[in-house]
Amino acid sequence: MGKSKMNLYNEIRSRVPEKFHNEPCFVFLADTARLGVFDSVNDLIELLDNDIKKINDWLSGNVMTGNVEEVAIQMSKLDKLKGAKQYLMEYLVENGDN
């Protein structure tokens, strides 16, 4: 992908329908893309996948013994990560091979 890093943010905003732009998962995705540290959609998906795995691993070890408030915080983060990834998969990944 020969696009500048800031164009990833613009591409996400243009390809995801505007009706979703105020949804928490989209706002999280746009804020993450705005950081300008990702070269491609695949780089961003890789980050999201890594974060999803980390939280899933944490939850699997702490859901029964962890602090209820911390579990709720981690589950909320997980929802945002999964939602952000869904926007990328649905509107930006051409062939869905990720």
Side-chain angles (χ1 to χ4, degrees):
M1 223 179 209
K3 300 174 181 169
S4 78
K5 293 177 181 184
M6 194 57 190
N7 279 346
L8 182 58
Y9 167 77
N10 293 329
E11 184 178 0
I12 289 168
R13 288 199 52 86
S14 70
R15 294 186 64 184
V16 175
E18 198 169 325
K19 67 182 180 180
F20 297 120
H21 287 196
N22 290 322
E23 294 291 322
C25 293
F26 180 83
V27 172
F28 170 77
L29 175 61
D31 287 348
T32 303
R34 189 181 292 124
L35 296 173
V37 297
F38 304 100
D39 291 319
S40 69
V41 170
N42 288 336
D43 287 348
L44 188 47
I45 289 171
E46 185 177 331
L47 171 89
L48 295 173
D49 282 342
N50 287 336
D51 286 351
I52 288 168
K53 182 184 180 331
K54 286 178 193 171
I55 292 175
N56 278 329
D57 290 349
W58 185 90
L59 286 171
S60 69
N62 291 287
V63 75
M64 297 306 274
T65 59
N67 175 305
V68 173
E69 187 176 326
E70 185 60 28
V71 169
I73 289 168
Q74 295 301 320
M75 290 181 84
S76 176
K77 286 181 184 177
L78 186 61
D79 287 345
K80 281 185 185 173
L81 291 164
K82 287 181 175 181
K85 182 181 176 186
Q86 184 60 39
Y87 284 126
L88 292 173
M89 298 304 291
E90 192 165 331
Y91 296 106
L92 280 93
V93 174
E94 302 297 327
N95 54 11
D97 62 354
N98 282 320

